[in-house]
Amino acid sequence: MEQNVAAEQNIFVVDHKLKKNSRQADVERLAKTHWLSDYARDIFLTMREQELRRKPMFFLSPQLSERQRMLQLLKLVTRAHKLSRCALHLAVYYMDRFVDHYKIRPDKLLLVAITCLHIAAQIENTDAFIPHYSEMNRMVKNAYTAFEYKAVERKILCFLNFELVRPTTASFVELFACSFLTRSDFKNYTEMLDESERNHYIQPYQRYISFEEMLSILAQLLLRMADYTLHNLPMICHPFWLPPALLQCARSAGSGAGRSTSLG
């Protein structure tokens, strides 16, 4: 136990003065989840219910300037180990809330980022393979020990109260990515282009040779837009709650509470 406390104190900045306060491959993979169509509404309602229990974020961390560096590492590790988009987004959710709540030693920020991704991969990755900490640690030149990873993992899990399943922008996008467009939409779109060419001799928008091509291209675009939300923190935050992930996605498509930094 004393060893655990010592490891945590070597990672977190303890300040007792501060008070505590309570692309195509993706589309093909999504297209194969036929079972989603049977339970889509139930899944959506469950996700909305879980979304309401997301931890709030107050954007009071003095380390927000380091967020981009941590995010770049998360993306690099995600690509290197072929983790899912939802795992990346969930890791960012964990990371943002945790860093918003605790002040981390600057040289341990990447340790926190990797740990968040490792936890998220176990929740979101559908493949049996989840990289070990030792494999992910190579991405930072083996900067941290196995004991440090376990110490931070325990702290993050306790901070989240082991409530690890939380929907993100990517969760909603992947749910709707292969169902937002219908064959009727494709037919109406093609007829609109035909009429424009006949009457005005112009083609105002891109023409797709098939419904499958249109769905694939638009779904890939939608997935990329979901990733853009990782880089953009909301400019205005409700004092008691973070805007829902689905609202953030929609916003992107169209375009006092205290902070605890003390470990007891």
Side-chain angles (χ1 to χ4, degrees):
M1 180 62 70
E2 292 179 358
Q3 191 181 18
N4 292 342
V5 173
E8 290 179 359
Q9 290 177 344
N10 188 44
I11 296 168
F12 303 98
V13 177
V14 179
D15 188 347
H16 297 290
K17 295 180 181 180
L18 296 172
K19 297 181 178 180
K20 285 187 177 181
N21 261 327
S22 18
R23 289 145 216 200
Q24 179 64 28
D26 291 319
V27 176
E28 291 177 355
R29 174 178 58 80
L30 292 173
K32 293 177 182 177
T33 56
H34 303 296
W35 61 271
L36 286 178
S37 60
D38 296 330
Y39 303 102
R41 178 169 176 78
D42 292 334
I43 293 172
F44 175 70
L45 293 177
T46 300
M47 289 170 64
R48 290 300 305 273
E49 181 182 343
Q50 291 175 339
E51 186 180 38
L52 293 175
R53 298 199 298 270
R54 282 158 47 102
K55 278 187 172 292
M57 184 173 174
F58 304 113
F59 307 98
L60 299 177
S61 171
Q63 297 169 306
L64 277 177
S65 60
E66 295 293 326
R67 184 180 185 274
Q68 186 62 28
R69 184 166 68 101
M70 298 171 73
L71 179 57
Q72 288 300 323
L73 175 63
L74 289 179
K75 295 174 68 176
L76 178 63
V77 177
T78 297
R79 288 196 300 268
H81 293 284
K82 297 180 173 58
L83 301 177
S84 70
R85 172 179 280 102
C86 284
L88 172 61
H89 281 247
L90 186 60
V92 172
Y93 164 77
Y94 295 159
M95 181 186 75
D96 282 342
R97 272 65 183 178
F98 191 72
V99 176
D100 197 51
H101 194 81
Y102 293 110
K103 185 178 181 181
I104 318 297
R105 274 182 44 175
D107 60 323
K108 305 298 183 181
L109 286 169
L110 299 185
L111 168 64
V112 170
I114 292 176
T115 305
C116 288
L117 183 57
H118 188 268
I119 297 172
Q122 296 178 71
I123 300 299
E124 290 287 2
N125 241 45
T126 56
D127 298 329
F129 173 75
I130 303 294
H132 296 106
Y133 279 123
S134 58
E135 297 172 295
M136 303 171 85
N137 198 33
R138 297 190 193 115
M139 306 296 291
V140 289
K141 300 181 180 180
N142 298 314
Y144 310 111
T145 67
F147 190 82
E148 285 180 308
Y149 279 110
K150 289 301 181 182
V152 175
E153 180 181 74
R154 181 178 59 256
K155 201 68 183 180
I156 293 173
L157 293 175
C158 291
F159 167 72
L160 296 170
N161 295 319
F162 289 85
E163 297 177 356
L164 305 178
V165 180
R166 288 293 178 266
T168 61
T169 300
S171 307
F172 287 106
V173 166
E174 292 206 354
L175 179 64
F176 296 124
C178 289
S179 61
F180 70 95
L181 184 73
T182 66
R183 293 188 179 276
S184 177
D185 293 329
F186 172 72
K187 179 175 179 293
N188 293 334
Y189 179 82
T190 302
E191 290 176 350
M192 179 193 70
L193 293 182
D194 291 341
E195 182 178 359
S196 179
E197 289 180 351
R198 284 195 306 268
N199 297 335
H200 306 289
Y201 305 100
I202 60 171
Q203 182 175 303
Y205 306 108
Q206 178 179 349
R207 183 179 288 276
Y208 305 96
I209 61 175
S210 66
F211 166 75
E212 288 73 19
E213 181 190 52
M214 185 176 185
L215 177 60
S216 175
I217 292 175
L218 294 183
Q220 289 181 64
L221 178 61
L222 185 60
L223 291 170
R224 289 199 300 272
M225 291 173 67
D227 289 341
Y228 292 154
T229 65
L230 292 173
H231 298 272
N232 300 318
L233 291 171
M235 297 301 294
I236 300 176
C237 182
H238 189 282
F240 300 107
W241 203 252
L242 182 70
L246 188 60
L247 178 60
Q248 289 182 320
C249 180
R251 182 185 303 165
S252 298
S255 41
R259 174 179 173 274
S260 172
T261 59
S262 174
L263 294 180

